[in-house]
Amino acid sequence: HFEQASAFALPEPDKSFDLVYTFAALEQMQDGFPKALSELRRVARRYVLLHEPFRDCNDPLGCLYLWSRNYFRLSAGALPRYGLRPVATWYSLPMKPTFAYGFVLCELM
């Protein structure tokens, strides 16, 4: 079953999924990621796994690159602000020459 929907208004009931996963999706929503995180949290029962270019996983040059392009600026440390508590992080992943991605597994708060 495949369904297409907006990350800002997911057509699923609350707590529909054991795990909700993003793969380089929030990075495309710099202005709307708080609403998308709210929707991800709403449809998750317990966990949200985010694969995004978090500020925490980038060196100063990667952070400067993201900042200069007004691109994704979210820190994993800021996720509790959105009701997500990081429980595990993986930052040693293959990366682009310009910036890095990391995995952050969060529990709902």
Side-chain angles (χ1 to χ4, degrees), residues 53-55 57-69 71-72 95-100:
F54 290 101
R55 187 171 57 220
C57 64
N58 276 281
D59 63 15
L61 198 55
C63 288
L64 181 61
Y65 178 86
L66 294 169
W67 179 83
S68 71
R69 303 240 177 327
Y71 205 55
F72 194 70
M95 61 179 81
K96 292 183 175 185
T98 49
F99 60 90

Side-chain angles (χ1 to χ4, degrees), residues 23-24 27-28 51-54 57-58 71 90-96 99-103:
F23 185 89
E27 71 171 318
Q28 307 298 325
H51 179 260
E52 303 293 341
F54 290 101
C57 64
N58 276 281
Y71 205 55
W90 299 269
Y91 293 148
S92 299
L93 304 171
M95 61 179 81
K96 292 183 175 185
F99 60 90
Y101 288 83
F103 279 106

Side-chain angles (χ1 to χ4, degrees), residues 15-20 43-48:
K15 301 186 183 320
S16 296
F17 304 102
D18 293 323
L19 173 72
V20 176
V43 300
R45 274 190 207 101
R46 185 165 180 196
Y47 293 106
V48 175

